[in-house]
Amino acid sequence: MPEPPLENIVLIGFMGSGKSTIGRELSQLLGYPLLDTDALIVERDGRPIPRIFAESGEEAFRDLESAVLADLHAGGPSHRVIATGGGIVTLPKNRRLLRRLGYVVWLMVTPKAVLRRTSRNKQRPLLNNPDPTGTISRLLEERTPLYRETSHLAVETDSLNFPEISAGIIESARYFFGRSK
Ligand code: S3P
């Protein structure tokens, strides 16, 4: 018998795409607990993210993302909102795990909005360099096909407001979960 699909809503997308804000909104509207892979990594490793990058490197951080996703999948939690780090889609095994966790929603964002939303926060090691604009364009270009192939739904975040986005996601998720029973 195939495993029943987990009924989580999984948010993916670039840094500054609104995953945490929309995650909080969805969590309130649905009454589902919000989990965040970055927070689970910090809890598991004991170091803040910039220190993990500085002391152990990006590859070690990606392995921690895989471990957290594997735990989430093994724990079988359903009816959660799961917000993820922007680079979680870079490893193929993470892309497979994400889709097995539930309904995967890609929050699309333009480079301009990313720059606007991330410029004041220095907690993102990948953008803490002399050319964040160039880094954003390069990473967005590399990751866009990965977000596309991993997601069940892609949502524009530039023109709509967050409550409108959340309402749209809930409607599509209900349809998706209804169909997969
Ligand atoms: C990263 C995004 C961050 C965090 C880490 C690496 C990335 O999460 O996981 O700094 O590679 O895009 P947010 O997308 O929540 O900022």
Side-chain angles (χ1 to χ4, degrees):
M1 276 247 291
E3 293 171 48
L6 297 172
E7 294 197 12
N8 300 300
I9 296 183
V10 184
L11 300 176
I12 64 169
F14 204 73
M15 293 173 264
S17 58
K19 290 165 294 186
S20 307
T21 312
I22 292 175
R24 272 194 299 275
E25 182 105 9
L26 290 173
S27 159
Q28 272 172 15
L29 289 168
L30 291 164
Y32 291 6
L34 174 64
L35 299 173
D36 181 308
T37 58
D38 283 346
L40 293 172
I41 286 171
V42 171
E43 206 174 282
R44 185 189 182 102
D45 184 85
R47 290 175 293 174
I49 291 175
R51 255 186 72 201
I52 301 176
F53 270 75
E55 294 173 3
S56 307
E58 180 172 349
E59 212 175 307
F61 181 78
R62 300 294 166 218
D63 287 341
L64 284 164
E65 290 189 309
S66 298
V68 159
L69 280 186
D71 274 3
L72 280 175
H73 190 260
S78 211
H79 304 100
R80 304 279 191 282
V81 178
I82 303 174
T84 61
I88 205 155
V89 293
T90 50
L91 296 185
K93 66 173 167 189
N94 289 358
R95 301 202 287 277
R96 280 194 298 275
L97 276 169
L98 286 164
R99 281 184 71 95
R100 286 163 58 194
L101 275 175
Y103 188 52
V104 183
V105 179
W106 168 27
L107 302 179
M108 299 166 83
V109 69
T110 58
K112 234 168 119 179
V114 174
L115 199 63
R116 194 177 62 236
R117 293 183 194 160
T118 59
S119 56
R120 260 170 294 136
N121 183 328
K122 296 284 167 242
Q123 290 308 304
R124 293 182 171 97
L126 292 179
L127 300 183
N128 225 348
N129 65 52
D131 181 23
T133 311
T135 310
I136 290 168
S137 313
R138 178 178 58 78
L139 288 177
L140 258 178
E141 199 175 324
E142 275 171 28
R143 292 176 180 177
T144 293
L146 307 178
Y147 294 132
R148 183 172 294 121
E149 84 169 59
T150 310
S151 55
H152 296 103
L153 173 75
V155 183
E156 280 283 353
T157 62
D158 281 2
S159 49
L160 297 172
N161 60 39
F162 286 161
E164 283 170 338
I165 294 169
S166 303
I169 292 173
I170 290 175
E171 201 179 316
S172 317
R174 288 214 165 106
Y175 179 72
F176 176 81
F177 291 132
R179 240 186 10 178
S180 61
K181 278 196 178 121

